[in-house]
Amino acid sequence: LFLLVLTFTILFSKFSLWFDINSFYTNLLRDHEGQTFLKDYFCHFFPIQFYFFSPFLTFLNLNSFIILFSIILNFLFAFQFAYYSKKILGDKFEFFSLFIIISFFFIPFGIGAAHHNELSIYFCTIGFLMAVSNINKFNYIALFYLIIGLTVKYSIAIPIFTAIFLSFSILLFTNFKKQYLILFLKYIFLISISFIVIIFIYTLNANINFQDFFSYLFLDTLSISRSRITIGSFLFFDLFENVFSFISDYSGIKNLPVGSILQLPFIFGYIGFIYFIIAKRNSFSVNEKIYFYFLIFVTIFLFVSLGRNWNHKFIFFIITNYLVLFYFISLEKKI
């Protein structure tokens, strides 16, 4: 299974390049050539990751780097997500199955290779899991991950941070402890201060004022995200409407809403996941509660706020469906 996923990852990262991926690697080349962000080129994300990646281009060509980067990030995200999930959920959880499923759907099943979207999902999600796996102690590595995830590409990070905020808020409302509140506020304060400092450093030497920079970097991109966020998209009205309109007025196979039909099983599985969380909430530990709350929110927020990329929109649907089948229903043991 591991070799099969590895093969898929190599093939997809080698032969699947489209706009977002080209944008990422084009800007990586600019940074490698010595061009300066906000002076020589503009992009809607901070190029912090390029400082770490550009040295690899001195001994690797770009095609080789894309494949290597995609392989490493794919398996690193799958491994760490499964590892920290097992730390949170304990012996009832099967590590290898989730590791393989995530590594197949995170990059190979998506359209293209790894780039800033996957990087942001990786850092934000793993940083959160690090913090939750030992919720009684502040984790500076988790803090570093969360800050990097926010600066790699904030438009991807914001839905994940919103899920984290809501998860902590529900936990504080239902299981209030002073130590959780202090921990929550400490993370918020240090992340906010760090983000402001990073913005200040970037604008300090750039020929652009702070107001224009803020408008360019945030308001323009957020307007795109807001246009996707509707009540219908949160409640899957648009998806169900496509399917039901086809059923009620069948007019040929060419009108079959393939995308909507393929999504339906995962949507129903996600609804089942919410049911199990509500029904069994009293039996969960504090770590498990915030873990499951996070998965509920991050699944729908990324699905609604992101564009056409299935690997970005759908990776957490895969995870929640896995938990329904193999954690709550214990399908693997029954088979």
Side-chain angles (χ1 to χ4, degrees):
L1 286 173
F2 178 82
L3 291 175
L4 179 65
V5 174
L6 177 62
T7 303
F8 274 111
T9 309
I10 293 171
L11 290 174
F12 275 88
S13 59
K14 183 175 177 60
F15 297 111
S16 299
L17 290 177
W18 60 296
F19 177 76
D20 281 4
I21 298 172
N22 284 329
S23 171
F24 174 82
Y25 290 108
T26 299
N27 289 321
L28 172 61
L29 285 174
R30 289 189 175 116
D31 188 88
H32 180 67
E33 293 166 356
Q35 296 187 34
T36 304
F37 177 58
L38 297 178
K39 285 186 177 181
D40 303 313
Y41 73 95
F42 290 81
C43 55
H44 280 92
F45 51 87
F46 293 111
I48 289 178
Q49 62 269 32
F50 298 155
Y51 302 146
F52 300 98
F53 294 147
S54 61
F56 288 98
L57 297 182
T58 58
F59 56 88
L60 284 174
N61 62 47
L62 186 62
N63 290 334
S64 298
F65 175 80
I66 290 172
I67 296 171
L68 184 64
F69 174 51
S70 300
I71 291 170
I72 292 173
L73 184 61
N74 188 45
F75 287 113
L76 190 62
F77 176 74
F79 176 84
Q80 288 188 287
F81 191 100
Y83 171 79
Y84 286 109
S85 295
K86 188 167 181 63
K87 284 190 70 173
I88 295 167
L89 300 178
D91 295 334
K92 295 179 290 183
F93 182 78
E94 173 61 40
F95 169 86
F96 185 73
S97 299
L98 182 62
F99 165 69
I100 285 295
I101 288 173
I102 292 177
S103 60
F104 179 77
F105 281 95
F106 186 51
I107 290 175
F109 188 70
I111 305 173
H115 58 304
H116 40 240
N117 290 7
E118 281 83 9
L119 260 183
S120 187
I121 292 173
Y122 164 73
F123 278 112
C124 292
T125 304
I126 301 304
F128 168 77
L129 293 180
M130 285 179 179
V132 171
S133 63
N134 188 2
I135 201 170
N136 296 314
K137 184 179 179 180
F138 187 85
N139 190 322
Y140 285 97
I141 299 177
L143 175 68
F144 172 78
Y145 265 64
L146 291 167
I147 292 170
I148 293 296
L150 184 60
T151 52
V152 164
K153 193 174 183 184
Y154 68 90
S155 60
I156 300 291
I158 286 176
I160 304 177
F161 270 79
T162 304
I164 294 172
F165 180 84
L166 291 175
S167 304
F168 259 104
S169 300
I170 293 175
L171 182 71
L172 291 171
F173 183 76
T174 56
N175 296 81
F176 180 81
K177 284 187 179 180
K178 185 179 179 180
Q179 67 184 86
Y180 297 151
L181 177 61
I182 294 173
L183 185 72
F184 185 41
L185 294 176
K186 191 174 182 180
Y187 275 114
I188 290 177
F189 175 76
L190 291 176
I191 291 171
S192 302
I193 291 297
S194 301
F195 195 57
I196 291 171
V197 169
I198 291 170
I199 293 175
F200 177 75
I201 291 172
Y202 271 115
T203 56
L204 190 62
N205 297 318
N207 188 23
I208 184 174
N209 61 50
F210 181 82
Q211 182 178 354
D212 290 339
F213 175 77
F214 187 86
S215 176
Y216 165 76
L217 197 61
F218 296 100
L219 300 183
D220 292 349
T221 305
L222 287 178
S223 63
I224 298 174
S225 298
R226 282 198 301 268
S227 66
R228 298 169 178 156
I229 298 174
T230 63
I231 295 177
S233 57
F234 271 105
L235 299 178
F236 308 113
F237 282 156
D238 301 335
L239 182 143
F240 289 126
E241 184 181 14
N242 286 338
V243 176
F244 289 137
S245 62
F246 172 75
I247 294 174
S248 60
D249 186 22
Y250 178 78
S251 57
I253 196 67
K254 65 180 181 179
N255 295 321
L256 178 69
V258 177
S260 298
I261 290 176
L262 287 176
Q263 292 177 36
L264 274 181
F266 298 101
I267 302 300
F268 290 132
Y270 172 66
I271 295 171
F273 178 76
I274 296 175
Y275 164 78
F276 281 114
I277 301 307
I278 295 173
K280 297 178 178 289
R281 65 187 183 279
N282 294 328
S283 63
F284 298 143
S285 66
V286 170
N287 302 60
E288 290 174 322
K289 284 181 180 179
I290 193 169
Y291 173 82
F292 288 133
Y293 295 155
F294 169 76
L295 288 178
I296 288 176
F297 290 119
V298 76
T299 301
I300 191 65
F301 287 161
L302 283 179
F303 177 77
V304 171
S305 62
L306 301 187
R308 60 190 175 272
N309 315 24
W310 266 49
N311 52 332
H312 307 149
K313 290 168 67 73
F314 240 72
I315 182 61
F316 287 100
F317 274 102
I318 302 299
I319 294 170
T320 53
N321 275 257
Y322 169 85
L323 290 171
V324 167
L325 295 175
F326 297 105
Y327 183 78
F328 291 114
I329 300 178
S330 301
L331 184 61
E332 191 171 22
K333 294 178 181 178
K334 293 176 181 176
I335 292 174

